Amino acid sequence: MVTPPVKLIGLDFGTTTSKALIVEARYRSDPLSGRPEIQELGAPYRSDIVFTPFIGDRIDDARIRTLLDGWLAAASARPEDIAGGGAIITGLCARRSNAADLAALIRARIGGAVIATADDPGLEAFLAFMGSAAALSRARPGVPLLNLDIGGGTSNLALGVDGEVLQVGCLFVGARHIEVEPGSYRITALSGHALRLLAGLGISARPGDRLAPEQVAAVLAFYIELLEAAVTGREAPFQSELGRSHVDIPFHLAPDPAPDLAPPWLSLSGGVGELVYQRLQGHASPATTTFGDLGIDLAARILASPVLSARLLVPEGGGRATSYGLLRSLTRLSGSTLYLPQPELLPLSDLAIFGRISATSTDEQIHAALALVRRSARGGCLTVSLAGRAPGAVKALGGRIGQALQDLDFPASLPLVLLVPDNVGKALGAYITGWGRLPVTLIVLDELAPKTARFVQIGRMVEQVVPVSFHGMGQAEEAS
């Protein structure tokens, strides 16, 4: 199977900067397994990194729209060409009052195959690891690797082994909680977390005041202490009221690893991570507060920390980790034996994954899972695990699901999507519907295992396969 080229997009709107990554790709069958896969074609388009536009405390929608149009034009990509990928709104940007409006703008401009997720730091940590550190992790089998994605508002942590994310966390540690005039330390804006931090440190400075060198040093020392504690498993810095206020998602690393287990290697991503790697590569550091925040100073302090720099690895992708993760980790292809009687129903956006049923589920459990979907006005998804690919197992579970749908009087117009890891989609759909006799809007997508994802985005069918993107993960895992 070789298909015409499509475009995949990764958009990252952060506290300080925004960027785009657009890749031309095609769907093909793996020559050994026959499994549909995505093949990137040529070098991706990488936008310039620009400051995220704001008007006061709100995201500037008009300028975002202009940025989107410019990025698409530069990559020779029409909105209808976009088949998968995603957009993520991160850090303090995700906490702006109109972040949801930005997500809606992206969907309206680019289409139903693109995710727009706001305020999900666990997903952000996962994406940064998959985009920045997964290859480094796979190259060191059995060795833990901790990626720190440090931006303007948050530091997202993801611990992985063999390229798989095991744990995520998030701290309110970032370069832009204190905004200053470029070239000086005169404060122009303070986040709520910065106000609490300055008060806790006994610093009375407010917008218009100039931070003294020792005050800057105290702020940076607090941030470095939290980062060092996170990567070594020390709990003490997080026990104080000030420390607890800087935790979004707790991250617990065992402080005393087994004697034969080395401490985790570290990698960095995000805007501050990019500054660190520029210094390591011999580039001159930008002038003090060039970007109007403490990012340059924080990068220098990270390099000066033996804890944070001693086991530091250089990842692929530089500061674009989240965009890489969106492209390479969330978009998957269904198998070619899917059950899709009505392809015109696609794309479907933001369907919740309500639960999991299996061959060992009781009839009551199957009814309960389907009842959750029935209550949703948009329909929804369930993941399905079979005891095996044997026709008898598929027929038995399909019959039980079909009977439950009849018992619930499941509305014919409500989309029900089943995600199955084995290539039995067509057969399972046929058994559920009694070979098309049961009036239900059923889609069965096979060779997909979303693990802990909470939402799914389903693109349009191309050559008998469907691009599927997962997002909204709790303890994030790769969807594969």
Side-chain angles (χ1 to χ4, degrees):
M1 177 194 70
V2 178
T3 66
V6 297
K7 302 282 188 178
L8 303 177
I9 190 168
L11 301 173
D12 185 356
F13 297 95
T15 302
T16 307
T17 59
S18 298
K19 46 195 171 284
L21 186 71
I22 301 176
V23 173
E24 186 173 55
R26 67 161 50 102
Y27 307 151
R28 69 170 189 177
S29 296
D30 182 272
L32 296 178
S33 67
R35 173 75 173 84
E37 62 179 22
I38 295 171
Q39 176 190 23
E40 294 181 20
L41 304 174
Y45 163 77
R46 303 167 186 265
S47 75
D48 292 333
I49 298 177
V50 300
F51 283 110
T52 302
F54 296 100
I55 300 176
D57 290 333
R58 292 176 61 82
I59 302 164
D60 189 337
D61 292 347
R63 291 172 64 193
I64 291 289
R65 189 177 292 106
T66 299
L67 284 174
L68 281 173
D69 290 344
W71 290 336
L72 290 170
S76 299
R78 300 172 302 171
E80 58 267 29
D81 296 332
I82 304 299
I88 188 164
I89 307 164
T90 62
L92 299 182
C93 184
R95 291 165 173 80
R96 303 287 183 166
S97 60
N98 63 332
D101 295 336
L102 173 57
L105 183 156
I106 295 166
R107 283 198 185 90
R109 184 68 187 87
I110 298 178
V114 174
I115 309 162
T117 301
D119 198 12
D120 191 342
L123 175 62
E124 185 179 351
F126 164 81
L127 291 173
F129 183 96
M130 299 310 302
S132 177
L136 291 172
S137 176
R138 286 191 292 269
R140 292 163 175 79
V143 177
L145 173 63
L146 177 57
N147 187 70
L148 304 177
D149 186 59
I150 307 174
T154 56
S155 293
N156 296 287
L157 301 90
L159 178 69
V161 176
D162 299 331
E164 296 287 339
V165 174
L166 305 178
Q167 184 182 356
V168 297
C170 179
L171 306 175
F172 291 113
V173 171
R176 211 165 179 80
H177 287 288
I178 299 177
E179 297 182 45
V180 296
E181 287 183 354
S184 77
Y185 290 104
R186 184 177 179 276
I187 300 171
T188 60
L190 296 170
S191 73
H193 289 90
L195 289 169
R196 283 189 289 274
L197 175 56
L198 294 182
L201 296 175
I203 300 172
S204 59
R206 291 294 182 268
D209 297 333
R210 192 179 302 270
L211 287 172
E214 62 272 16
Q215 294 172 328
V216 175
V219 170
L220 296 173
F222 176 80
Y223 285 162
I224 293 297
E225 182 181 34
L226 290 188
L227 293 175
E228 289 181 343
V231 306
T232 58
R234 289 193 302 116
E235 295 288 342
F238 300 107
Q239 301 304 314
S240 69
E241 182 178 350
L242 191 58
R244 289 194 300 272
S245 73
H246 279 73
V247 176
D248 189 4
I249 299 177
F251 182 83
H252 300 292
L253 186 68
D256 298 309
D260 60 341
L261 182 64
W265 290 91
L266 299 181
S267 62
L268 300 175
S269 57
V272 175
E274 186 176 14
L275 289 170
V276 170
Y277 288 125
Q278 287 176 356
R279 290 277 297 272
L280 288 176
Q281 292 164 3
H283 299 293
S285 176
T288 300
T289 65
T290 295
F291 306 113
D293 56 32
L294 302 184
I296 296 166
D297 300 273
L298 184 55
R301 289 295 300 266
I302 289 171
L303 280 171
S305 165
V307 173
L308 299 176
S309 62
R311 293 176 63 81
L312 186 60
L313 301 172
V314 179
E316 176 189 7
R320 317 261 176 138
T322 308
S323 301
Y324 267 97
L326 283 164
L327 287 178
R328 297 179 176 179
S329 301
L330 290 192
T331 302
R332 289 288 183 266
L333 298 180
S334 72
S336 57
T337 59
L338 73 171
Y339 182 84
L340 182 60
Q342 298 172 272
E344 66 275 10
L345 292 173
L346 303 181
L348 292 172
S349 301
D350 284 346
L351 290 183
I353 300 176
F354 285 99
R356 182 187 303 268
I357 57 179
S358 71
T360 60
S361 298
T362 64
D363 290 343
E364 290 76 14
Q365 290 170 331
I366 293 175
H367 275 73
L370 291 170
L372 288 174
V373 180
R374 193 187 190 286
R375 294 190 190 101
S376 169
R378 297 172 54 86
C381 297
L382 295 171
T383 60
V384 179
S385 299
L386 293 160
R389 302 183 188 181
V394 177
K395 181 178 181 180
L397 184 56
R400 294 171 65 201
I401 294 173
Q403 185 60 55
L405 290 170
Q406 294 182 62
D407 295 343
L408 291 166
D409 193 23
F410 200 92
S413 60
L414 199 64
L416 170 62
V417 179
L418 302 182
L419 307 173
V420 190
D422 301 309
N423 60 342
V424 295
K426 193 177 296 292
L428 182 61
Y431 284 125
I432 290 172
T433 62
W435 304 96
R437 291 190 297 273
L438 181 65
V440 62
T441 303
L442 177 68
I443 299 171
V444 184
L445 303 179
D446 56 6
E447 298 191 63
L448 293 169
K451 299 183 180 179
T452 59
R454 296 197 296 265
F455 294 91
V456 64
Q457 200 100 347
I458 303 172
R460 299 176 183 86
M461 176 183 277
V462 179
E463 299 292 332
Q464 299 305 306
V465 297
V466 172
V468 180
S469 298
F470 300 106
H471 64 111
M473 301 185 184
Q475 290 296 310
E477 298 177 71
E478 181 178 4
S480 59

